[in-house]
Each structure stands twice: as C-alpha cells, then as structure tokens.
Amino acid sequence: ALRALATDYEAVGTNLSKAQQTQASSPTESMGAYLRALGLDKSIGGGVHSAFIRIKLGQVAPGAAASFMAQKRYEAAKKAADAAVNYGAGGDPTVRRVLGALERQAAAMYQTASKTIKNDPEGAKKLLRRIIKMVPADSPTYASAYKLLNSRKNTPRDEDE
C-alpha cells in the first residue's frame, strides 16, 4: 500500500514537472499534465496542492484554448476555455477571443448543416453534435443546432408512424 501511495505521489510530481516545462512551448500538453496532477492530488492527497495547480491551470488554459482553436479542435478549445473560466482566467482577452471564434465557427457549421440535412442527414447531424459540444447551452446557435438535431422531420420513420 505504501509503495502504491509513493508511486501516486511521484506521478503528481512528474506531471507537475512536465506541466511547468511545457507551459510556454505547449500549453495544451501543459494543461493536460496539470489536470492529471490535480486529479491525482485530489485522490491521494486530499488536494494538498490543488490551490497551486488551479492557479497554474488559470495561467495555461487560455493559451491551450487558443492553440486548440488554431488546430481546429473546437471541442477541446471549448473545454480549455471553460477551464480558464473555472480557474479564474475567464476575463482573459484570449479566452474571450476563443469563445467568440467558437461561436462564429458554430454558426458557419450550423449554416452548412441546415443546408445539407435533407441530402446528407448523417453528415449534418455530425456537425450539429459538434456544435453542441463547442458552444455554451445559452448560445442561440446551440439552441438552433439542438432543435434541428432533434426535430422529428429529420429522423427516419417507420411506415406505420
């Protein structure tokens, strides 16, 4: 039991070290390492280092969100932007830019989905599911995507319906 505990504490340290080393060069990698360290710290140490890790996540999450956005990994960009908000960096201009860019991208994807839903319902539904994962639930684009995704006229029906 002690060996396993020591291994877990070592993993916290390894992740913290990796996160700090990659903070400037790869904010996405750094964020992942900080999140792993935070999870381990909560499970084994009761969150002894969580205040420090949360501060660091607030510093790295905006850059990770921008990086994911540039890579067109929209769902990951949304998660990173949400993390920035949760860890005290919601007012960061980078976070606001990413959230705005996600909204614009979602609106463009919605236009494509609404035009192609009749000819390519599966492709359109795939886009609509992505939109729901990349904008907040209070977004008008989210509401439109949700409504179109769940509309009965777009779902195949049996002959007896």
Side-chain angles (χ1 to χ4, degrees):
L2 283 177
R3 181 167 296 206
L5 188 61
T7 301
D8 288 343
Y9 274 112
E10 185 178 3
V12 171
T14 301
N15 279 295
L16 284 175
S17 177
K18 182 176 184 175
Q20 290 175 326
Q21 290 170 359
T22 59
Q23 194 164 339
S25 62
S26 178
T28 57
E29 191 176 338
S30 180
M31 184 175 161
Y34 278 127
L35 287 170
R36 285 188 299 277
L38 184 63
L40 284 166
D41 183 54
K42 282 181 184 176
S43 68
I44 60 165
V48 173
H49 303 290
S50 66
F52 169 77
I53 298 169
R54 288 173 176 276
I55 290 168
K56 290 300 196 175
L57 277 164
Q59 293 169 354
V60 77
S67 182
F68 284 131
M69 191 69 200
Q71 298 168 27
K72 298 185 186 322
R73 295 177 58 194
Y74 304 124
E75 297 88 344
K78 167 74 166 61
K79 285 182 181 179
D82 287 348
V85 171
N86 292 339
Y87 297 119
D92 187 293
T94 301
V95 174
R96 288 196 303 269
R97 279 193 303 274
V98 167
L99 291 173
L102 284 169
E103 188 65 45
R104 289 187 298 280
Q105 183 62 39
M109 290 167 76
Y110 178 79
Q111 290 302 317
T112 301
S114 64
K115 289 176 186 172
T116 62
I117 191 95
K118 300 261 189 272
N119 298 331
D120 181 13
E122 288 310 307
K125 287 180 180 184
K126 189 175 178 182
L127 278 178
L128 294 168
R129 286 185 193 102
R130 284 193 77 191
I131 292 167
I132 288 170
K133 292 178 185 172
M134 61 191 266
V135 291
D138 62 356
S139 160
T141 308
Y142 179 103
S144 298
Y146 186 85
K147 184 177 177 183
L148 186 57
L149 182 62
N150 293 298
S151 65
R152 295 254 318 141
K153 66 183 178 192
N154 295 319
T155 55
R157 296 183 192 176
D158 290 337
E159 293 148 8
D160 58 346
E161 278 188 71

